[in-house]
Amino acid sequence: MADVTVHPHGDRWAVATSDTSSPVREFETREAALSSARELAGGGDVDVLEEDPSTLAGSEEDRDPGAADSVR
């Protein structure tokens, strides 16, 4: 599992760490969230999910658990 994850969260982009259940930061753009996530990870792994893993996106059945791109 990545140290930090970036994913859509409603109409924004969220940054979450592996030790929190809620996003620690939210941004208007994917690029801003990714930049913040890289800084927060401090050289650790950052995963980018293209779909919202929270209930904001729909049910568990609608999500693809393999839809992550690992970014360094």
Side-chain angles (χ1 to χ4, degrees), residues 15-70:
V15 175
T17 59
S18 59
D19 59 348
T20 61
S21 59
S22 297
V24 293
R25 299 178 184 159
E26 286 191 16
F27 297 89
E28 293 290 326
T29 66
R30 180 180 191 252
E31 293 77 19
L34 187 55
S35 177
S36 175
R38 286 181 176 144
E39 182 179 317
L40 187 62
D45 289 335
V46 174
D47 274 355
V48 179
L49 305 177
E50 296 302 326
E51 298 199 19
D52 188 347
S54 74
T55 57
L56 294 177
S59 71
E60 184 80 25
E61 298 169 356
D62 296 337
R63 288 184 245 132
D64 177 7
D69 296 323
S70 190

Side-chain angles (χ1 to χ4, degrees), residues 7-18:
H7 61 82
H9 193 248
D11 62 348
R12 298 171 58 89
W13 285 85
V15 175
T17 59
S18 59

